[in-house]
Amino acid sequence: MSGPFAYRGTDLWVEQLPLSGIVEQVGTPCYVYSRNAIEDRWRRFDTAFGMAAHRVCYAVKANPSLAVLGLLAGLGSGFDIVSEGELRRVRRAGGDPRKVVFSGVGKTVAEMRYAIGEGIDCFNVESESELERLERTAAAMQAHVRVSLRVNPDVDPDTHPYIATGMRDNKFGIPIAEAPRIAAAMKGMRHLVLVGLDCHIGSQLVSLAPFEDAFARILELAQMLRASGHRLEHLDAGGGLGVRYRDEDPPEPQQYVDRLLAMLAERGLSDLALIIEPGRAIIGEAGILVTTVEYLKSVPSRRFAIVDAGMNDLLRPALYDAWHEIVPVRRRAGPESTYDVVGPVCESADFLGRGRQLCIMEGDLLAVRTAGAYGSSMGSHYNSRLLPPEILVDGDRFEIVRARAAYETLWAGERTMGEQAPLVTPLSRGK
Ligand SMILES: Cc1ncc(COP(=O)(O)O)c(C=O)c1O
């Protein structure tokens, strides 16, 4: 095992600290991230561009922790957001709104207003109706808004269907064949300026081929739009580069960026800046979820290790049947048995891993690896469980960057009926 999480003797360490020492102070379940791994991954994307004009816009949805955003803002990162909440987090963490692109199929008027007011760089627009709404909103604010058309290139990304986004029948983006007509219609929209094209075809892609297919279509469209007088400034290839959960061998950031830059050059479009929106590939391998074995239990057909982290803490196994490596924080000598590692949540889908070979006893700590992306960010209070704390390790020190929540947070903003003011006030009619 290599990277920021590695064994020294029998114990799993993160950077220069034994995990068991952190857990003694914060308890389990908890997420633990490595600062150096996060920064190293971001820099690998950034430096891969050399002198070429570019921006790495971290996809906030992968992990919106203020501490993670703050680290990346400190490196000069841009951000890809999909909601007002994400933009507010970026601002709170010190991110520069002029480096923000706003994706997502369902932007509300309120979200548009907030983002325009904050002065974000660009809206990645996903439909004609959204374009018209954005024009009206910008006009009302007397603003001029930069727009990129998110096109759907109809490419099979060869990933889990729930994270495929660039196929014809997906809800994302504008069908690529319609883009020239919509771009032409934009010439009549006085408050919008078409500056770019973007696509995002899916997540956890482990080969370059689908990226190449999609990007080739975007480049062809860019040439077509230029020929009809549109002054494009950038292309945005989206995110999606995969990580290693088990035995995948995804391309390195340098290989990925080299290929995109080479394709730009082949088409004579090197004057366009390139934006990318990686999420998982920056934060995925930089985080783990640590959990305690509460009970070992056998039924005739199998053994269960019942742990104190569940699908509300890490949804990916239940949602996508995703595989995460599960390892002991302290290795024991002795024979291994086969366990289904399951959580305490009242669902049969509540598992972290099935059929795992482990030598464990009740009370042992387990680490669920590659949990930095879409782990904490997909967490919920289901079964009225508290969100786990988050720890950021930097060399031989750590900070609790999200404290273990108090039980009162479970019902914040709620009240029983009749308590204080009534919950629902009738809307006033007319006027
Ligand atoms: C528009 C957009 N950009 C970027 C990303 C980040 O993808 P990944 O984390 O796979 O890099 C996503 C993920 O869904 C997305 O929808």
Coordinates of all heavy atoms in Angstrom, one line a residue, residues 65-79 86-100 118:
S65 N -16.0 20.1 1.7 CA -15.5 20.6 3.0 C -14.8 21.9 2.9 O -13.9 22.1 2.0 CB -14.5 19.5 3.5 OG -13.6 20.0 4.4
L66 N -15.0 22.8 3.8 CA -14.4 24.1 3.7 C -12.9 24.0 3.8 O -12.2 24.7 3.1 CB -14.8 25.0 4.9 CG -16.2 25.5 4.9 CD1 -16.4 26.5 6.1 CD2 -16.6 26.2 3.6
A67 N -12.4 23.0 4.5 CA -11.0 22.8 4.7 C -10.4 22.4 3.3 O -9.3 22.9 2.9 CB -10.6 21.8 5.7
V68 N -11.0 21.5 2.6 CA -10.5 21.1 1.3 C -10.6 22.3 0.3 O -9.6 22.6 -0.4 CB -11.4 19.9 0.7 CG1 -11.0 19.6 -0.7 CG2 -11.2 18.7 1.6
L69 N -11.7 23.0 0.3 CA -11.8 24.2 -0.6 C -10.8 25.2 -0.3 O -10.2 25.8 -1.2 CB -13.2 24.8 -0.5 CG -14.4 23.8 -0.8 CD1 -15.7 24.6 -0.7 CD2 -14.3 23.2 -2.2
G70 N -10.6 25.4 1.0 CA -9.6 26.4 1.5 C -8.2 26.1 1.0 O -7.4 26.9 0.5
L71 N -7.8 24.8 1.1 CA -6.5 24.4 0.6 C -6.4 24.7 -0.9 O -5.3 25.2 -1.4 CB -6.3 22.9 0.8 CG -6.0 22.3 2.1 CD1 -5.8 20.8 2.0 CD2 -4.8 23.0 2.8
L72 N -7.4 24.3 -1.7 CA -7.3 24.5 -3.1 C -7.4 25.9 -3.5 O -6.7 26.4 -4.4 CB -8.5 23.7 -3.8 CG -8.4 22.1 -3.5 CD1 -9.5 21.4 -4.2 CD2 -7.1 21.6 -4.1
A73 N -8.2 26.7 -2.8 CA -8.2 28.1 -3.0 C -6.8 28.7 -2.8 O -6.4 29.6 -3.6 CB -9.2 28.8 -2.1
G74 N -6.1 28.2 -1.8 CA -4.8 28.7 -1.5 C -3.8 28.4 -2.6 O -2.8 29.1 -2.8
L75 N -4.1 27.3 -3.4 CA -3.2 27.0 -4.5 C -3.6 27.8 -5.8 O -2.9 27.6 -6.8 CB -3.3 25.5 -4.8 CG -2.8 24.5 -3.7 CD1 -3.0 23.1 -4.2 CD2 -1.4 24.8 -3.4
G76 N -4.7 28.5 -5.7 CA -5.1 29.3 -6.9 C -6.1 28.6 -7.7 O -6.4 28.9 -8.9
S77 N -6.8 27.5 -7.2 CA -7.7 26.7 -8.0 C -9.0 27.5 -8.3 O -9.4 28.4 -7.6 CB -8.2 25.5 -7.1 OG -9.0 24.6 -7.9
G78 N -9.5 27.1 -9.5 CA -10.9 27.5 -9.8 C -11.8 26.5 -9.3 O -11.4 25.4 -8.7
F79 N -13.2 26.7 -9.4 CA -14.1 25.8 -8.9 C -15.3 25.6 -9.9 O -15.7 26.5 -10.5 CB -14.7 26.3 -7.5 CG -13.6 26.4 -6.5 CD1 -12.9 27.6 -6.3 CD2 -13.3 25.2 -5.7 CE1 -11.9 27.6 -5.3 CE2 -12.2 25.3 -4.8 CZ -11.6 26.5 -4.6
E86 N -23.0 25.5 -3.0 CA -21.6 25.3 -3.3 C -20.9 26.6 -3.5 O -19.7 26.7 -3.1 CB -21.5 24.4 -4.5 CG -21.9 22.9 -4.2 CD -21.5 21.9 -5.3 OE1 -21.1 22.4 -6.4 OE2 -21.6 20.7 -5.1
L87 N -21.5 27.6 -4.2 CA -20.8 28.8 -4.4 C -20.6 29.5 -3.0 O -19.5 30.1 -2.7 CB -21.6 29.7 -5.3 CG -21.0 31.1 -5.6 CD1 -19.6 31.0 -6.1 CD2 -21.9 31.8 -6.7
R88 N -21.6 29.4 -2.1 CA -21.4 30.1 -0.8 C -20.3 29.4 0.0 O -19.5 30.1 0.7 CB -22.7 30.0 0.0 CG -23.8 31.0 -0.5 CD -25.0 31.0 0.3 NE -26.0 31.9 -0.3 CZ -26.1 33.2 0.0 NH1 -25.3 33.7 0.9 NH2 -27.0 34.0 -0.5
R89 N -20.1 28.1 -0.2 CA -19.0 27.4 0.5 C -17.7 27.9 -0.1 O -16.7 28.2 0.6 CB -19.1 25.9 0.2 CG -20.1 25.2 1.2 CD -20.0 23.7 0.9 NE -20.8 23.0 2.0 CZ -20.2 22.7 3.2 NH1 -19.0 22.9 3.4 NH2 -21.0 22.1 4.1
V90 N -17.6 28.0 -1.4 CA -16.4 28.5 -2.1 C -16.0 29.8 -1.6 O -14.9 30.1 -1.2 CB -16.5 28.5 -3.6 CG1 -15.4 29.2 -4.3 CG2 -16.6 27.1 -4.2
R91 N -17.0 30.7 -1.5 CA -16.8 32.1 -1.0 C -16.3 32.1 0.4 O -15.4 32.8 0.8 CB -18.0 33.0 -1.2 CG -18.5 33.1 -2.6 CD -17.5 33.9 -3.4 NE -17.5 35.3 -3.1 CZ -16.5 36.0 -2.9 NH1 -15.3 35.4 -2.8 NH2 -16.6 37.3 -2.6
R92 N -17.0 31.2 1.3 CA -16.6 31.2 2.7 C -15.2 30.6 2.9 O -14.5 31.0 3.9 CB -17.7 30.2 3.4 CG -17.4 29.8 4.8 CD -17.5 31.0 5.8 NE -17.3 30.5 7.1 CZ -16.1 30.2 7.6 NH1 -15.0 30.4 6.9 NH2 -15.9 29.8 8.9
A93 N -14.8 29.8 2.0 CA -13.4 29.2 2.1 C -12.4 30.1 1.4 O -11.2 29.7 1.4 CB -13.4 27.8 1.4
G94 N -12.7 31.2 0.9 CA -11.8 32.1 0.3 C -11.5 31.9 -1.2 O -10.5 32.5 -1.7
G95 N -12.4 31.2 -1.9 CA -12.2 31.0 -3.3 C -12.6 32.2 -4.1 O -13.4 33.1 -3.7
D96 N -11.9 32.4 -5.3 CA -12.1 33.5 -6.1 C -13.3 33.3 -7.1 O -13.2 32.4 -7.9 CB -10.8 33.8 -6.9 CG -10.9 35.0 -7.8 OD1 -12.0 35.6 -7.9 OD2 -9.8 35.4 -8.3
P97 N -14.4 34.1 -6.9 CA -15.5 33.9 -7.8 C -15.2 34.0 -9.3 O -15.9 33.4 -10.1 CB -16.6 34.9 -7.3 CG -15.8 35.9 -6.6 CD -14.6 35.2 -6.0
R98 N -14.2 34.8 -9.6 CA -13.9 35.0 -11.0 C -13.3 33.8 -11.6 O -13.0 33.7 -12.8 CB -12.9 36.2 -11.2 CG -13.6 37.5 -10.8 CD -12.5 38.6 -10.6 NE -11.5 38.1 -9.6 CZ -10.4 38.8 -9.3 NH1 -10.1 39.9 -9.9 NH2 -9.5 38.3 -8.4
K99 N -13.0 32.7 -10.8 CA -12.5 31.5 -11.3 C -13.6 30.4 -11.2 O -13.2 29.2 -11.3 CB -11.3 31.1 -10.5 CG -10.1 32.0 -10.7 CD -8.9 31.5 -9.9 CE -7.7 32.4 -10.1 NZ -6.6 31.9 -9.1
V100 N -14.8 30.8 -11.1 CA -15.9 29.8 -10.9 C -16.7 29.6 -12.1 O -17.1 30.5 -12.8 CB -16.8 30.2 -9.7 CG1 -18.1 29.4 -9.7 CG2 -16.1 30.2 -8.4
E118 N -22.2 37.7 -7.5 CA -20.9 37.4 -6.9 C -19.8 37.5 -8.0 O -18.6 37.4 -7.7 CB -20.9 35.9 -6.4 CG -21.6 35.8 -5.1 CD -20.9 36.5 -4.0 OE1 -19.9 36.1 -3.5 OE2 -21.5 37.5 -3.5

